Amino acid sequence: MSIQLFAFDTPNGRKISVALEEMGLPYQVKVVNITKDDQFKPDFLRISPNNKIPAIIDPDGPDGQAISVFESGAILMYLAEKTGRFLPVQGAARVSVMEWLMFQMGGIGPMFGQAHHFLRAAPQPVPYAIERYTQETRRLYKVLDHQLEDQEFIAGDYSIADIATYPWIARHEWHRVALADFPSVQRWFAGMGARPAVQQGMAKP
């Protein structure tokens, strides 16, 4: 049976479609149109108490029972552990993936999102906010660029840390970042974008 993915046209939603493609899991996309407040409907609230996408329902969860999972980082961990892919089972390699997944969840996602908002959606320019969030965005790019200087992927081997980060970097133009300023990120981004599963996942929902 297929996993149901509740998502919309956002980086967080595309993390999960990319992961599902990479893991070869069958899934169906259920569009939650956040521009029309679909995320506040009672049926969605039952599986995503924070009124945010993405969320999934896996009919073949633990012990063969259906399970719903919300929060993109938790979903990535759940799917990785379900399939045994893209998250080491133990040791330093697992710690590294978890560190960089949290770096995306706690840094890249929130800060890039604020840069997007104040550069593109605020009803009027707020210079302090624009400066604050664009500078922090560039700082995070620099951290990521340094991490990628001597390795192909963020945590060493290809992992859910890469899957989580790519859809946010894919919107670099939204936060006015030239990837050429961060050559290691640019090289990684090109390699990620060449992966068929990444292309297929980014095309949904």
Side-chain angles (χ1 to χ4, degrees):
M1 297 176 66
S2 295
I3 290 172
Q4 294 181 46
L5 167 61
F6 298 82
F8 194 61
D9 177 18
T10 70
N12 285 336
R14 287 183 171 147
K15 294 177 192 177
I16 310 307
S17 53
V18 169
L20 289 163
E21 294 285 349
E22 288 280 15
M23 295 170 186
L25 291 169
Y27 69 103
Q28 296 177 333
V29 177
K30 306 290 185 180
V31 175
V32 179
N33 190 335
I34 60 176
T35 69
K36 296 182 178 179
D37 290 340
D38 285 356
Q39 70 272 31
F40 297 108
K41 292 181 177 179
D43 286 348
F44 184 65
L45 178 62
R46 280 193 284 271
I47 63 171
S48 183
N50 196 28
N51 302 113
K52 302 287 186 180
I53 60 97
I56 65 168
I57 295 176
D58 182 3
D60 184 26
D63 302 318
Q65 301 298 310
I67 189 172
S68 62
V69 188
F70 74 103
E71 290 293 332
S72 61
I75 297 169
L76 288 174
M77 292 170 59
Y78 170 78
L79 295 173
E81 291 175 345
K82 176 184 176 73
T83 60
R85 303 190 68 189
F86 311 126
L87 176 62
V89 174
Q90 60 186 4
R94 181 182 177 89
V95 171
S96 182
V97 172
M98 297 297 287
E99 287 177 325
W100 290 98
L101 176 63
M102 295 305 110
F103 173 77
Q104 187 283 307
M105 296 295 298
I108 284 179
M111 295 300 104
F112 288 17
Q114 292 292 339
H116 293 173
H117 176 79
F118 285 105
L119 287 169
R120 295 171 58 88
Q124 59 187 13
V126 184
Y128 172 79
I130 290 172
E131 181 179 8
R132 173 180 172 82
Y133 291 115
T134 56
Q135 285 187 356
E136 179 63 5
T137 291
R138 292 190 67 84
R139 187 191 72 82
L140 293 167
Y141 266 91
K142 186 175 180 180
V143 172
L144 186 60
D145 197 64
H146 179 71
Q147 176 67 8
L148 286 163
E149 283 178 356
D150 300 318
Q151 55 192 22
E152 184 176 3
F153 299 111
I154 295 173
D157 294 330
Y158 186 66
S159 74
I160 55 174
D162 300 283
I163 292 170
T165 304
Y166 178 82
W168 283 99
I169 304 299
R171 289 191 170 173
H172 59 92
E173 293 179 351
W174 284 30
H175 37 261
R176 300 180 188 174
V177 169
L179 289 186
D181 293 345
F182 304 95
S184 298
V185 173
Q186 186 177 45
R187 181 264 307 157
W188 167 85
F189 182 76
M192 288 287 295
R195 297 176 69 94
V198 172
Q199 296 171 7
Q200 291 160 10
M202 290 294 290
K204 298 174 181 177

